[in-house]
Amino acid sequence: MRLSMEKHIIYSRKSSESEDRQVLSIPAQLSELGDIAKRESMEIATTYQESMSAKASGRPVFNEMLKVIEKGKGYSLLVWNIDRLARNMVDGGMILELMDKRKIVEIRTIC
């Protein structure tokens, strides 16, 4: 059992682009991430899901999530794969900055 003050957030994303066909659907990602959270007794603060490419910055749901994280401290992100979070320098840089500030303390992936 995890003994932590971390706030856990699930983020799932599926691009509609053809190159992203191998990625699990959003419901499948949510199911697997929920199983991990349950198995490890993680209390999920909120879940975000988005259907948009991450090649360029400007994803509205991702940006909303970052605003919430910026106001708090000690978040743990659960994502199916690290590329669900960022595939461009701007978004990747924002994640790194939040980690430097200890707003994000952990990123957990399935693969």
Side-chain angles (χ1 to χ4, degrees):
M1 182 170 158
R2 291 174 69 92
L3 299 174
S4 170
M5 297 304 292
E6 294 169 9
K7 299 167 219 99
H8 304 285
I9 292 175
I10 289 176
Y11 178 79
S12 62
R13 182 184 65 79
K14 172 79 168 127
S15 176
S16 58
E17 296 177 16
S18 61
E19 70 185 44
D20 212 17
R21 275 187 266 199
Q22 299 300 314
V23 175
L24 290 179
S25 68
I26 288 175
Q29 290 177 45
L30 293 174
S31 176
E32 288 197 30
L33 294 167
D35 289 347
I36 288 173
K38 184 176 180 179
R39 184 173 58 243
E40 298 197 21
S41 301
M42 295 177 175
E43 189 172 326
I44 303 301
T46 191
T47 299
Y48 294 93
Q49 45 188 305
E50 189 158 49
S51 295
M52 190 171 197
S53 174
K55 282 186 178 180
S57 61
R59 289 173 285 149
V61 174
F62 178 80
N63 290 337
E64 175 187 331
M65 178 181 72
L66 294 186
K67 285 179 187 175
V68 168
I69 291 170
E70 181 65 42
K71 293 177 186 175
K73 190 170 186 174
Y75 283 95
S76 171
L77 298 180
L78 281 79
V79 295
W80 183 69
N81 191 324
I82 198 69
D83 71 357
R84 301 298 87 202
L85 285 177
R87 294 184 66 200
N88 67 75
M89 297 291 277
V90 172
D91 292 348
M94 290 190 300
I95 293 290
L96 289 173
E97 181 178 353
L98 291 170
M99 292 179 82
D100 284 346
K101 293 179 177 178
R102 303 293 294 159
K103 304 276 183 174
I104 297 173
V105 296
E106 177 182 40
I107 299 175
R108 304 270 313 262
T109 64
I110 293 174
C111 48

